């Protein structure tokens, strides 16, 4: 007779929330536990995550600054909370953990109402709105950074520095050497920006690379993520500059591309930084200024202060500035290799393991499996049409 626990993981429907949740789910299932995901429709559509876990799509209202949206958002949150409590009745989780985003709120509210142990994980260096609202009520708070803004000192007793869980493919890069780089070898640059951040990178990066000394420019091999409306224009720019470039709107093999990159130019999203520091890859970071509470600027601080990255505020992100910073990193002997070591020193590769340890510690002792509790896995359920 097997012994296991049941965990509900709740995450907003973006990669920044879903990928860490997925990494923790894989670790929990590796330990023999059963996992259910609560998310929204966007999260359920993200490819390659939670393929072996139960997936429950529930409504989640977003509280904006417009008061007219509040009644509808509140109704959605309450409906999601009621559905989460129905899930608790059948799945009976040992603990419920939220990874941020409004879709995490109903599940956590349902767990609190049912007296189920709860935890939150904050991926950014600024506590997000949902986590800020729930921080005082949950049993444990896991953070990705030693210092998290907007996290009150009075919660210090239940704060645990975990790091930001990454996919196993990224974790494996930590065991590999930094790609060999000589004055004659190909210099590989990876440019990733996401849907919100790719446009300015497409506008600035080609021109910046075109300003590099000819001896460096001739060695470049660029892999760049672009928005669909920008890709042909960017492809033409690189062709004119005679810089080999592989362009796409989405890369499903980022770990592989990260593995052979010498330099990454990217936004400062939490998952991006976790992957850079886990793998040990130097970067030029351009924080997204429209990010909530300017959290990307704060995210970039640790890696930049450690010497693993250079941060350029978007207001100063020009082709000239990019070319200047790239030359400092690429032409000074040993600069990139040194930055790679400093980036790696910021990594917390065992975040998924440590988060799983934390979840096991806040729940009650293991219980014997009950056929009523364990459904077939994987299962995909949509509870939006179920009466509360």
């Amino acid at each position: 007779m097997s012994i296991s626990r049941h965990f509900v993981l709740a995450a907003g429907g973006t990669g920044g929330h879903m990928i860490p949740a997925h990494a923790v789910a894989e670790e929990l299932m590796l330990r023999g536990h059963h996992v259910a995901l609560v998310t929204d429709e966007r999260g359920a559509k993200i490819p390659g995550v939670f393929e072996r876990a139960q997936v429950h799509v529930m409504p989640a209202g977003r509280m904006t600054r417009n008061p007219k949206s509040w009644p509808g958002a509140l109704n959605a949150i309450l409906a999601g909370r009621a559905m989460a409590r129905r899930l608790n009745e059948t799945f009976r989780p040992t603990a419920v953990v939220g990874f941020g985003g409004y879709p995490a709120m109903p599940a956590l509210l349902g767990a609190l109402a049912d007296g189920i142990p709860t935890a939150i994980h904050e991926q950014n260096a600024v506590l997000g709105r949902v986590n800020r609202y729930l921080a005082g009520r949950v049993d444990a708070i896991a953070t990705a950074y030693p210092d998290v803004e907007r996290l009150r000192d009075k919660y210090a007793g239940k704060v645990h520095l975990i790091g930001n869980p990454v996919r196993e493919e990224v974790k494996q890069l930590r065991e590999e050497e930094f790609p060999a780089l000589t004055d004659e070898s190909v210099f590989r640059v990876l440019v990733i920006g996401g849907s919100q951040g790719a446009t300015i990178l497409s506008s600035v990066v080609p021109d910046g690379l075109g300003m590099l000394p000819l001896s460096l420019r001739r060695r470049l091999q660029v892999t760049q993520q672009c928005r669909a409306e920008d890709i042909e224009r960017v492809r033409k720019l690189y062709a004119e500059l005679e810089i080999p470039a592989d362009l796409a709107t989405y890369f499903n093999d980022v770990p592989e591309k990260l593995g052979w990159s010498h330099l990454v130019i990217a936004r400062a999203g939490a998952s991006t930084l976790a992957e850079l520091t886990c793998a040990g890859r130097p970067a030029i970071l351009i924080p997204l200024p429209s990010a909530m509470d300017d959290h990307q600027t704060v995210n970039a601080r640790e890696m930049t202060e450690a010497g693993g990255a250079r941060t350029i505020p978007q207001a100063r992100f020009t082709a000239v500035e990019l070319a200047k910073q790239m030359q400092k990193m690429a032409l000074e002997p040993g600069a990139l290799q040194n930055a790679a070591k400093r980036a790696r020193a910021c990594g917390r590769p065992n975040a998924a393991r440590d988060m799983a340890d934390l979840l096991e510690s806040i729940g009650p002792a293991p219980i014997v499996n009950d056929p009523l509790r364990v459904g077939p896995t994987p299962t995909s359920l949509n509870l939006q049409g179920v009466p509360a």
Side-chain angles (χ1 to χ4, degrees), residues 2 5 24 35 40 47 94 118 127 133 161 170 172 181 214 223 295 300 349 363 379:
S2 62
R5 307 184 195 187
V24 174
V35 172
D40 59 2
T94 302
T118 53
L127 199 65
Y133 174 74
L161 176 59
V170 175
Q172 290 173 1
L181 184 63
L214 186 61
T223 302
H295 65 251
T379 302

Side-chain angles (χ1 to χ4, degrees), residues 147-219:
D147 299 308
V148 178
E149 295 186 1
R150 300 210 175 190
L151 178 57
R152 296 182 180 181
D153 292 340
K154 66 180 181 180
Y155 302 144
K158 57 181 177 181
V159 173
H160 306 262
L161 176 59
I162 296 293
N164 202 4
V166 299
R167 292 167 287 186
E168 186 61 30
E169 304 95 303
V170 175
K171 188 176 176 180
Q172 290 173 1
L173 296 176
R174 194 169 178 85
E175 308 306 317
E176 300 179 7
E177 296 290 335
F178 184 71
L181 184 63
T182 68
D183 292 340
E184 304 299 325
S185 62
V186 174
F187 185 91
R188 297 185 178 90
V189 178
L190 176 64
V191 187
I192 46 178
S195 59
Q196 294 186 72
T199 294
I200 192 167
L201 299 181
S202 296
S203 299
V204 174
V205 173
D207 289 341
L209 299 186
M211 292 180 177
L212 295 173
L214 186 61
S215 59
L216 177 58
R217 193 167 75 238
R218 283 178 172 172
R219 296 166 49 208

Side-chain angles (χ1 to χ4, degrees), residues 15-16 19 145 164 166-167 170 192-194 225 254 258 264-279 281 283-285 296 299 303:
I19 290 175
Y145 294 90
N164 202 4
V166 299
R167 292 167 287 186
V170 175
I192 46 178
Q225 183 181 18
V254 170
L258 188 62
V264 178
I265 301 173
R267 292 299 194 179
S271 290
T272 296
L273 289 176
E275 292 180 349
L276 290 171
T277 55
C278 184
R281 292 297 181 269
I284 293 176
L285 303 173
Q296 288 202 5
N299 288 352
M303 187 177 174

